[in-house]
Amino acid sequence: MSVWLPGAPCTPRACVEAAAPDGALLAAVPRAAARLTGVALLVLAGTLLSPLGTRIPAGAVRAWSRAVVRAAGVRIRTRGAAAPAGGLLLVANHISWLDVPLLAAVRPARMLAKAEIRRWPLAGALAARGGVLFIERDRLRALPGTVGRIAGELRAGRAVAVFPEGSTWCGRDQGRFRRAVFQAALDAGAPVQPVRIRYRAPGGAASTRPAFVGDDPLLASLWRVATARGLMAEVEVLPVIEPGAHPDRRRLAAEAGARVRGARTGEETSCRR
């Protein structure tokens, strides 16, 4: 098992809602095709503009990020105060590929991601050109260097976004926040901004349809989202954890994880159906 990628019990078959029945799925094909085309065009535009880096206004990055999610047919509801300026470690639970633009809509940041994402079509090129901090999950010796790179970004006044669970979960439960990345916030004296992400079906029930877990192919996850009706992403920006609030990374990770988990609703009690 990788130090960066602890296992989650969620699997597509056990935890993820299936796509629509055949009849409804056939009717949804034109809508899904239009949505995926919109997403692809936005990602392509982002890839072409990504070399501009920090010269792109933060407001434009947030607008583009929201547009990607909406193009996929998912509405967005955001609660909580705006994330602070300056060096900031953004941490969130991880359910879907949609989490990445949703977190960027809270505050544009350098994302910490697994090296395999480099090979994703379009999105991999966008990630590489957009300043993603790639990690080699199976190299324990790379851990101090990665923490040092994150701390350097924080000291320079930039935001870094991390999913500390180390793996995606289906949304009915949450993994424990791994503590390694929190050392970077301690070393840099930077605040930590916890963010909670949920996905809702029409009527408000928790939905696992956007989940991207286990050996689920990316295209299958994209198709489930694009063929769905009425999905909503809820993004809750929780109170920031100020520098010095906790003396070590274990307590800091536990506090951030508790804040995110504490925002859960009663129906989200198990990753198994």
Side-chain angles (χ1 to χ4, degrees):
M1 181 180 296
S2 166
V3 66
W4 288 107
L5 191 63
C10 305
T11 65
R13 179 172 296 180
C15 304
V16 179
E17 299 160 22
D22 290 345
L25 185 60
L26 184 62
V29 167
R31 179 177 68 248
R35 288 175 174 176
L36 292 176
T37 299
V39 171
L41 289 174
L42 283 165
V43 172
L44 179 59
T47 303
L48 295 174
L49 293 173
S50 60
L52 296 175
T54 56
R55 287 176 287 176
I56 301 176
V61 175
R62 284 193 290 265
W64 176 86
S65 301
R66 289 191 294 267
V68 169
V69 177
R70 288 168 178 163
V74 180
R75 294 177 295 151
I76 305 171
R77 177 184 294 161
T78 303
R79 295 191 294 171
L88 181 70
L89 185 68
L90 283 145
V91 296
N93 60 304
H94 202 9
I95 300 170
S96 172
W97 51 271
L98 288 164
D99 301 344
V100 175
L102 287 171
L103 206 52
V106 171
R107 182 177 165 188
R110 294 197 70 177
M111 183 69 63
L112 186 70
K114 58 185 180 181
E116 292 90 329
I117 288 178
R118 285 181 187 267
R119 297 192 293 270
W120 287 10
L122 284 181
L126 175 62
R129 297 174 70 180
V132 167
L133 299 170
F134 291 108
I135 57 174
E136 297 291 342
R137 300 173 301 166
D138 297 319
R139 291 182 58 213
L140 182 59
R141 287 183 296 179
L143 178 58
T146 300
V147 171
R149 290 170 65 197
I150 297 171
E153 293 292 318
L154 298 176
R155 290 190 189 97
R158 290 185 282 268
V160 177
V162 181
F163 298 110
E165 291 165 303
S167 181
T168 49
W169 289 63
C170 70
R172 287 193 169 95
D173 206 348
Q174 176 189 318
R176 180 173 61 88
F177 275 12
R178 317 297 286 188
R179 48 192 173 179
V181 294
F182 291 91
Q183 186 62 48
L186 291 173
D187 292 346
V192 175
Q193 176 67 75
V195 177
R196 170 68 179 179
I197 299 172
R198 300 184 186 96
Y199 295 96
R200 300 287 185 190
S207 176
T208 63
R209 196 160 175 177
F212 179 40
V213 296
D215 58 358
D216 198 15
L218 177 60
L219 288 178
S221 180
L222 285 164
W223 188 251
R224 278 198 310 273
V225 172
T227 55
R229 279 187 176 273
L231 280 178
M232 175 178 285
E234 290 185 350
V235 181
E236 187 170 2
V237 183
L238 300 164
V240 71
I241 304 174
E242 298 292 347
H246 296 283
D248 58 64
R249 64 188 183 185
R250 180 182 63 82
R251 296 183 190 181
L252 184 55
E255 173 66 18
R259 291 193 184 192
V260 173
R261 183 177 289 276
R264 292 171 56 210
T265 56
E267 79 273 10
E268 297 172 290
T269 56
S270 174
C271 65
R272 300 285 186 176
R273 287 195 286 176

